[in-house]
Amino acid sequence: MNPIFQVYNTPYGAYPFELIKEEHYRDAFREAIAEKRAEIKSIIENEEEPSFENTILALERAGAKMELVSGIFYNLLHAHSNDELMTISEELVPELSQLSTDILFSEPLFKRIKVVYDKREDLGLDEEELRLLVNCYEGFAENGANLDAEHKARLEALSMELSQATLLYGQNNLKDQKRYKLYVSCSDDVEGLPNSLLHLSSERAKQEGYSEGWLFDLTAPSYFPFMQHCRNRELRRQMYVAKMSVGAAGDEFDNRALIRQIVNGRLEEAQILGYPTFAHYALHKRMAKTPDAVYKLLDQLQDAYRPKADEELKEITAFAKQEGFNDEMMPWDWAFWSEQYKQKFYNLEDELFRPYFALDNVISAVFNLATTLYGLKFVERKDIPVYHSDVKAFEVKDEDGSYLGLLYTDFFPRDGKRSGAWMSNFQEQYHDANGVDHRPHIVLVMNFTPPTGDKPALLTAGEVHTFLHEFGHAMHGMLSKVRFGSLSGTGVARDFVELPSQIMENWLAQREWLMSFAKHYETGEAIPEELLERSKKARHFLVGYSCLRQLSFGYLDMAWHSIEAPLDESLDVKRYEDNAWRKAMVLPDAPDNCIMSTSFGHIFSGGYSAGYYGYKWAEVLDADAFALFKERGIFDRATAQSFRDNILSQGDKREPMELYVAFRGGEPTIEALLRRDGIIQD
């Protein structure tokens, strides 16, 4: 009686986390695999003429048990992992990959799908049904269903090899980052560090058995403020090198060989399927369509922002020299001197905002923003089980009081939790065979500055920005209103999925929203107008550098996935990387053991391969879209309702550009982004 598959006696069928143990996963996955194989076999052996219902819809609904066990396992693998979960994931990769390839390369199954596809115009399908059918057919065809037996066999082997390689790459990152600690005992070396960081690092030192001193690591709440405020250049260098050599230490966690294996495997996959490069293969179903379109965008933005970035480098370097810094400005110097510049000329630093961004207030403000825009209500439910004491669960209701879904929030770093921030779901939105609308169970995972001593969790503006971003993804999943799970929520083109998240970031720069909640956590006083004014004056600070940094990641991603011939073992990953992103580089090159690619999880293990440009692509979309809010009012319900109806609720029911044009009335240009960033000034 595996608890994963029992009827959950919990509100809205939430996972009973306390009942599910590590030993349940192996059997659950194998039972789910067997069930899905039986369901596929039933579709294939159906003697009736292939139809939308008995083939396409049956395939869409197959694998209910797989959805259950995957929903909990893979979320915990990233957010609350341990050695046993990692071992299980490694063991399961061959079996899950085999299941996937057996389905994708099943000739009798594809034959039935093709029969339905060929008569699609005569079936009287509605728009969503037709989208599901076309996606289903193309998903099989583009994964080799039309290939001969030899090429199918090779694709099958490649799929399994790549699944194993990407999993190992991600686990290497997690393990390598986790083992680095920087212990500091001299008080002079921590002079200038924020009190919040000192409290956090002091507590960590005590947890590790030190009687005094401070312990820093590579998690975001530790690493980034350390690099901004640490006056000891040598310690900054050590931290930077540690961060940038994750996965490149030349030991059992080194990812360089895996990078070659992954990009070569992806290239071979693409070429077997008839594409010259993996980028061509990956992009043909996205908004960009071609590598040329991606490079056109990257180059346009590089040309527009390069003069500003060069100007910023000169300004920061000159300022540092005036302050007595006579060395070359290196990557481990940039965050520190930029922060010093901002403090002096704008009288701003991240720590000034922390007292006004208590996490509980920020949570309420973000939820209230969703209430203002979309009429949503968030009710904490302490009777819903959670997987860690840091996690909270909320019931989300629509304006009319109807149930929309569950939202779990998980804000603080801990062992077994990978770095970064993300939105995922335990359950997608979909309609079952009886027409019942199953609402989503969504999880927001962050690595924010935790509470320290007698202080609550106090966020930087950057952390509030991250919260808004991931909450936008949550709204995309929560407000989904489709029939089929594969078209649900965030299951859209990679270069469209960031629009709902990035548009939310815009409200952070809006005074009216900030004044509604930014109050001192001790006194209750509103955030000073003077501080907001200073922030407004600095809104374009380092906009050129920030843009080129993002572009450099896009160029690097495209370079790895635009190769036309396999890379051999003699490849120098560091040199290849340097050549790939050189045109967008602002600062001098880092030492040889500093390699971004070995920890670039987005593109090697996180689904953004040949897709990292999507952040800038979506930034063009979100600037253009938010311009409509600025024109009509940042809290305008009609505009928000249009965004909900035409984008947030639609999932992948239609082509992304069609959805965007339905909301905005036309296709986007980069002009709104250039104006927002001050590159074009009125």
Side-chain angles (χ1 to χ4, degrees), residues 319-373:
F319 165 74
K321 188 173 182 179
Q322 290 173 2
E323 296 293 308
F325 178 76
N326 294 313
D327 293 301
E328 183 179 20
M329 182 71 67
M330 295 299 292
W332 49 85
D333 300 316
W334 181 255
F336 175 77
W337 286 111
S338 297
E339 181 66 20
Q340 296 298 306
Y341 182 100
K342 186 169 69 171
Q343 290 180 28
K344 181 166 184 176
F345 291 99
Y346 296 108
N347 195 19
L348 274 180
E349 59 175 307
D350 286 346
E351 294 304 304
L352 293 174
F353 290 91
R354 278 195 195 273
Y356 303 98
F357 289 153
L359 177 58
D360 286 345
N361 286 352
V362 176
I363 293 171
S364 295
V366 173
F367 286 177
N368 287 337
L369 179 57
T371 302
T372 300
L373 295 175

Side-chain angles (χ1 to χ4, degrees), residues 39 56-64 430-435 483-484:
E39 290 169 331
I56 307 303
L57 200 51
L59 182 58
E60 168 73 9
R61 290 174 175 158
Y430 69 98
H431 288 190
D432 64 21
N434 297 317
R483 289 167 55 197
F484 308 121

